Amino acid sequence: MRLTSVTVGTSRPRALAAFYARLLGGTVETDDEGWALVRTPGGLSLGFELERHFRRPVWPARAGAQTASQHLDVQVDDLDAAVGHALACGAVLAGVQPQDNVRVLFDPDGHPFCLFLD
């Protein structure tokens, strides 16, 4: 077995595919109203599937609020430069930053993702 892709539920498949393609230097390969697919330079594909009843996740989790069911971890060489790039692509920096070598951001649909130094 070999993992090839991760699919994320969203209210805006096309917008999220465009965001992650810019962020990761990938290409949008499939793009329709209900589904979009991004191929990344590292070989992993990201799928974005329309969820008609999508609710933005809240991070960190709060009782009674929609929790994030997953997040993406992206290794970077220069954390400050990577955060600047992510913000320019449309990400938002989270108010809570739990570690010095990690930055938590939100994509345009509110999913958290992490940039980290190894």
Side-chain angles (χ1 to χ4, degrees):
M1 286 189 254
R2 184 173 62 104
L3 179 66
T4 61
S5 61
V6 173
T7 299
V8 176
T10 178
S11 64
R12 304 180 307 162
R14 287 179 168 165
L16 240 51
F19 168 79
Y20 280 103
R22 283 190 311 273
L23 179 72
L24 301 171
T27 57
V28 178
E29 299 229 343
T30 305
D31 179 5
D32 64 40
E33 288 190 35
W35 171 257
L37 183 71
V38 174
R39 299 233 187 254
T40 68
L44 184 70
S45 296
L46 295 175
F48 300 96
E49 181 176 38
L50 177 64
E51 293 289 347
R52 296 194 193 290
H53 303 289
F54 176 80
R55 289 188 344 198
R56 285 177 83 94
V58 173
W59 187 92
R62 286 193 320 255
Q66 177 65 43
T67 59
S69 61
Q70 80 282 321
H71 70 269
L72 301 177
D73 291 325
V74 180
Q75 185 177 6
V76 299
D77 295 325
D78 181 329
L79 193 54
D80 291 335
V83 168
H85 172 65
L87 294 174
C89 288
V92 175
L93 192 63
V96 175
Q97 297 297 325
Q99 298 165 308
D100 290 339
N101 66 333
V102 176
R103 291 296 171 273
V104 180
L105 296 102
F106 301 109
D107 70 22
D109 219 12
H111 300 95
F113 66 96
C114 297
L115 303 178
F116 73 96
L117 292 170
D118 194 21

